[in-house]
Amino acid sequence: MARIVKLRKDQKMSQETLANESHIARSLMRGYERNERNISYNNLVRIIKFGFKMSIEDFFSEGFDK
């Protein structure tokens, strides 16, 4: 979840905005960021694709040489 928090803050996006863009409940987003809930694969994909508008490959490839 650290990557999601970092991207959200880098984009100056609130939890609420990211949750709305991702079509998930804000309470879930808060729980994910606080490591109080385990994120499902489907919600992770929604956050990456709809919230951050990036590909799954780009999300996971940061820090690796291409």
Side-chain angles (χ1 to χ4, degrees):
M1 286 311 302
R3 175 109 166 94
I4 290 175
V5 173
K6 181 184 180 325
L7 282 171
R8 180 177 64 76
K9 289 182 178 182
D10 287 350
Q11 294 183 16
K12 297 179 179 23
M13 188 182 301
S14 69
Q15 275 184 357
E16 184 174 12
T17 299
L18 181 56
N20 288 339
E21 293 289 321
S22 304
H23 307 286
I24 61 173
R26 184 178 176 275
S27 59
L28 277 176
M29 185 64 67
R30 183 178 60 242
Y32 296 152
E33 288 195 7
R34 293 181 178 180
N35 292 317
E36 296 171 348
R37 300 185 64 105
N38 292 320
I39 191 167
S40 70
Y41 174 78
N42 288 337
N43 281 348
L44 178 59
V45 169
R46 290 174 108 149
I47 291 167
I48 294 168
K49 291 179 95 175
F50 301 120
F52 293 128
K53 297 177 180 37
M54 65 190 312
S55 72
I56 294 168
E57 293 83 9
D58 287 342
F59 179 84
F60 286 108
S61 68
E62 181 166 311
F64 294 98
D65 293 328
K66 292 187 176 186

